[in-house]
Amino acid sequence: MNRWILSACLLALTAAPAAAVDIRLDTYRNPKNETIRIFNHMYLDGVRGGLMASNAWLTRHGRPLLFCMPGDLALTSEQVEEIMLKSADKRSAKGEMVVALLLLWGMQDTYPCEKPASQQTAPAPPD
């Protein structure tokens, strides 16, 4: 049974396009129609889920997190979009910038992780 499932998964992966489609900022901000706008929001929500899953994996393996959200916080799709768009504005992102990367940077800006004392910058010595 497990071999059958593995074979089906491999078949699905080889049938899929070789490269995943990334949504660019210009396409996100200027969708051609309502259907594309909805797909863009679904994509951004999927990116959020992937980033959260990555953080969960990093936590489980004792690695530094990508960003440090409060544990009891649940982000809405609107909040995720706002974080991504603020990140784009902060970086003066051009239309070809990948939305997923802007969201990652925005999450890091919005929910930074505290650096351990050993990594914090020491104050400058007095003159």
PDB file of all heavy atoms in Angstrom, residues 113-121:
ATOM      1  N   CYS A 113      12.681  38.163  16.193  1.00  0.00           N
ATOM      2  CA  CYS A 113      13.099  37.291  17.297  1.00  0.00           C
ATOM      3  C   CYS A 113      14.151  38.034  18.114  1.00  0.00           C
ATOM      4  O   CYS A 113      14.991  38.737  17.556  1.00  0.00           O
ATOM      5  CB  CYS A 113      13.699  35.996  16.750  1.00  0.00           C
ATOM      6  SG  CYS A 113      12.507  35.011  15.816  1.00  0.00           S
ATOM      7  N   GLU A 114      14.071  37.878  19.414  1.00  0.00           N
ATOM      8  CA  GLU A 114      15.071  38.490  20.293  1.00  0.00           C
ATOM      9  C   GLU A 114      16.385  37.762  20.092  1.00  0.00           C
ATOM     10  O   GLU A 114      16.416  36.534  20.048  1.00  0.00           O
ATOM     11  CB  GLU A 114      14.633  38.364  21.752  1.00  0.00           C
ATOM     12  CG  GLU A 114      13.326  39.041  22.052  1.00  0.00           C
ATOM     13  CD  GLU A 114      13.510  40.248  22.941  1.00  0.00           C
ATOM     14  OE1 GLU A 114      14.594  40.406  23.516  1.00  0.00           O
ATOM     15  OE2 GLU A 114      12.552  41.023  23.048  1.00  0.00           O
ATOM     16  N   LYS A 115      17.445  38.519  19.953  1.00  0.00           N
ATOM     17  CA  LYS A 115      18.765  37.906  19.834  1.00  0.00           C
ATOM     18  C   LYS A 115      19.246  37.484  21.214  1.00  0.00           C
ATOM     19  O   LYS A 115      19.032  38.206  22.182  1.00  0.00           O
ATOM     20  CB  LYS A 115      19.768  38.894  19.239  1.00  0.00           C
ATOM     21  CG  LYS A 115      19.511  39.236  17.792  1.00  0.00           C
ATOM     22  CD  LYS A 115      20.582  40.167  17.281  1.00  0.00           C
ATOM     23  CE  LYS A 115      20.339  40.545  15.839  1.00  0.00           C
ATOM     24  NZ  LYS A 115      21.340  41.486  15.355  1.00  0.00           N
ATOM     25  N   PRO A 116      19.914  36.325  21.301  1.00  0.00           N
ATOM     26  CA  PRO A 116      20.515  35.955  22.585  1.00  0.00           C
ATOM     27  C   PRO A 116      21.543  37.005  22.992  1.00  0.00           C
ATOM     28  O   PRO A 116      22.118  37.681  22.150  1.00  0.00           O
ATOM     29  CB  PRO A 116      21.194  34.612  22.299  1.00  0.00           C
ATOM     30  CG  PRO A 116      20.583  34.118  21.029  1.00  0.00           C
ATOM     31  CD  PRO A 116      20.096  35.321  20.284  1.00  0.00           C
ATOM     32  N   ALA A 117      21.765  37.142  24.282  1.00  0.00           N
ATOM     33  CA  ALA A 117      22.702  38.156  24.796  1.00  0.00           C
ATOM     34  C   ALA A 117      24.056  38.050  24.131  1.00  0.00           C
ATOM     35  O   ALA A 117      24.714  39.059  23.888  1.00  0.00           O
ATOM     36  CB  ALA A 117      22.829  38.016  26.307  1.00  0.00           C
ATOM     37  N   SER A 118      24.492  36.848  23.786  1.00  0.00           N
ATOM     38  CA  SER A 118      25.811  36.666  23.163  1.00  0.00           C
ATOM     39  C   SER A 118      25.865  37.238  21.753  1.00  0.00           C
ATOM     40  O   SER A 118      26.930  37.540  21.241  1.00  0.00           O
ATOM     41  CB  SER A 118      26.185  35.184  23.122  1.00  0.00           C
ATOM     42  OG  SER A 118      25.244  34.477  22.330  1.00  0.00           O
ATOM     43  N   GLN A 119      24.700  37.415  21.089  1.00  0.00           N
ATOM     44  CA  GLN A 119      24.677  37.938  19.734  1.00  0.00           C
ATOM     45  C   GLN A 119      24.328  39.422  19.663  1.00  0.00           C
ATOM     46  O   GLN A 119      24.366  40.011  18.610  1.00  0.00           O
ATOM     47  CB  GLN A 119      23.672  37.160  18.884  1.00  0.00           C
ATOM     48  CG  GLN A 119      24.084  35.751  18.603  1.00  0.00           C
ATOM     49  CD  GLN A 119      23.078  35.048  17.710  1.00  0.00           C
ATOM     50  OE1 GLN A 119      22.038  35.603  17.349  1.00  0.00           O
ATOM     51  NE2 GLN A 119      23.381  33.826  17.349  1.00  0.00           N
ATOM     52  N   GLN A 120      23.942  40.019  20.787  1.00  0.00           N
ATOM     53  CA  GLN A 120      23.574  41.430  20.765  1.00  0.00           C
ATOM     54  C   GLN A 120      24.827  42.277  20.627  1.00  0.00           C
ATOM     55  O   GLN A 120      25.899  41.926  21.108  1.00  0.00           O
ATOM     56  CB  GLN A 120      22.804  41.793  22.026  1.00  0.00           C
ATOM     57  CG  GLN A 120      21.439  41.170  22.049  1.00  0.00           C
ATOM     58  CD  GLN A 120      20.630  41.593  23.261  1.00  0.00           C
ATOM     59  OE1 GLN A 120      21.097  42.315  24.108  1.00  0.00           O
ATOM     60  NE2 GLN A 120      19.394  41.125  23.309  1.00  0.00           N
ATOM     61  N   THR A 121      24.671  43.397  19.975  1.00  0.00           N
ATOM     62  CA  THR A 121      25.780  44.302  19.753  1.00  0.00           C
ATOM     63  C   THR A 121      26.157  44.979  21.078  1.00  0.00           C
ATOM     64  O   THR A 121      25.284  45.490  21.770  1.00  0.00           O
ATOM     65  CB  THR A 121      25.400  45.365  18.707  1.00  0.00           C
ATOM     66  OG1 THR A 121      24.924  44.704  17.545  1.00  0.00           O
ATOM     67  CG2 THR A 121      26.577  46.245  18.374  1.00  0.00           C
TER      68      THR A 121
END
